[in-house]
Amino acid sequence: MLPSLKVLHLADCSLPGISTSLSHFNLTTLDVLDLGGNQLQTLEDPSIYIGNSYLCGPPSARNCSANEINYKDNEGPKDKFEWLWIYFSVVLGYLSGFAVFCGVLLLNNAWRNALFSVIDIICDKLCIVTKVTLARLRQRYRR
């Protein structure tokens, strides 16, 4: 009836018997169930927990401390092929962006001239700073 329900928030709901009627639905895809308070105390039928491997603690019989589940380990790529695909996508994106940047510089003369002017100014400033620093060091060591 609700095959793709992911989140159910009923914490402030005051409908009588809502927690017992939930057992009639097939909620196998439910990720978050927020009933609030002690409403889970009424769900005592153990058959409603079958198939939910991550449910632990009362009212289920599974102990949470003995079966710690690290959800972060379950996220992300699982095998080398998936990692290879991610790396390939990143490199392809970088190369595409770089190709667009170079293409714009090749086709637009004004932008190309502006870029090389900025590069020349930066190089000139670096040369001046280097020469001044070397001159100061020479004077310091001559004394």
Side-chain angles (χ1 to χ4, degrees), residues 4 10 15 18-19 23 25 30 32 35 45 47-48 51-52 56 67 71 75 105 113 125 131 138 142:
S4 61
L10 298 171
L15 297 173
I18 189 70
S19 58
S23 62
F25 296 103
L30 189 65
V32 177
L35 296 174
D45 181 14
S47 66
I48 62 175
N52 190 344
C56 62
N67 300 314
Y71 292 103
E75 298 173 359
L105 289 181
N113 290 337
K125 287 184 179 182
K131 287 181 181 181
R138 285 184 190 141
R142 286 184 184 169

Side-chain angles (χ1 to χ4, degrees), residues 42-113:
T42 59
L43 298 174
E44 295 179 7
D45 181 14
S47 66
I48 62 175
Y49 305 120
I50 295 174
N52 190 344
S53 60
Y54 297 114
L55 183 63
C56 62
S60 74
R62 189 169 174 190
N63 186 1
C64 290
S65 61
N67 300 314
E68 288 280 330
I69 298 170
N70 191 353
Y71 292 103
K72 292 183 181 180
D73 288 342
N74 294 334
E75 298 173 359
K78 304 281 187 274
D79 59 3
K80 290 181 182 180
F81 178 74
E82 290 182 25
W83 280 110
L84 182 64
W85 182 250
I86 289 172
Y87 291 144
F88 176 74
S89 301
V90 169
V91 169
L92 185 65
Y94 174 77
L95 291 176
S96 299
F98 187 70
V100 168
F101 175 75
C102 291
V104 168
L105 289 181
L106 286 173
L107 298 176
N108 193 332
N109 193 28
W111 286 14
R112 182 174 57 243
N113 290 337

